[in-house]
Amino acid sequence: MLVRDAMSTVVLTIGPAHTLRQAAQLMSARRVGAAIVLDPDTCGLGILTERDVLNAIGAGLDPDQEPSHAHTTTDVVFATPQWTLDRAAAAMLHGGFRHLIVLDGQDAVGVVSVRDIVRCWAAVHAPVPA
């Protein structure tokens, strides 16, 4: 199976000035665990995950004051829709993260998570009912 078979095409994009609360509200409303942070000043993509929000709040930071850019991962590993799920899982294990932004050329077309990969693998390997 390929990343395109597993990825979520519900891509939440936020700006670097969104507060952590705003980001969390948008992620919750869209039912996604990560937001792509597009910073027009750097022309780069970053990712803000639910764990980033949790760590900031756990450290006592105010989610209404903290900008997302302060907690965004900018050293991002990108996948392509043509990657195998094995390759995506290996990249996640190697990097110690649970989400990959999926790029088709220069366009962010999806996000694939560990949950997406497990869901696909479970469907393939599920026992056939008798």
Side-chain angles (χ1 to χ4, degrees):
M1 294 191 91
L2 301 177
V3 165
R4 77 169 147 249
D5 302 319
M7 71 183 193
S8 170
T9 57
V10 176
V11 178
L12 172 60
T13 304
I14 64 173
H18 277 83
T19 66
L20 291 181
R21 183 175 309 280
Q22 290 169 324
Q25 288 171 331
L26 290 167
M27 286 190 281
S28 178
R30 298 267 179 95
R31 302 188 67 187
V32 296
I36 296 173
V37 181
L38 176 60
D39 189 342
D41 293 333
T42 65
C43 296
L45 295 177
I47 191 165
L48 179 75
T49 68
E50 55 201 354
R51 179 157 303 176
D52 297 325
V53 175
L54 180 68
N55 287 341
I57 293 171
L61 301 175
D62 183 349
D64 291 314
Q65 299 299 317
E66 280 298 305
S68 62
H69 74 81
H71 304 278
T72 298
T73 300
T74 56
D75 184 20
V76 179
V77 175
F78 298 101
T80 71
Q82 296 79 25
W83 276 21
T84 65
L85 294 184
D86 288 337
R87 183 174 179 186
M92 290 178 189
L93 282 171
H94 179 74
F97 45 81
R98 298 179 298 155
H99 298 84
L100 286 169
I101 298 172
V102 182
L103 294 182
D104 190 2
Q106 297 296 321
D107 299 322
V109 295
V111 174
V112 65
S113 69
V114 170
R115 181 179 301 195
D116 296 328
I117 293 171
V118 169
R119 179 181 38 82
C120 286
W121 283 345
V124 170
H125 300 292
V128 177

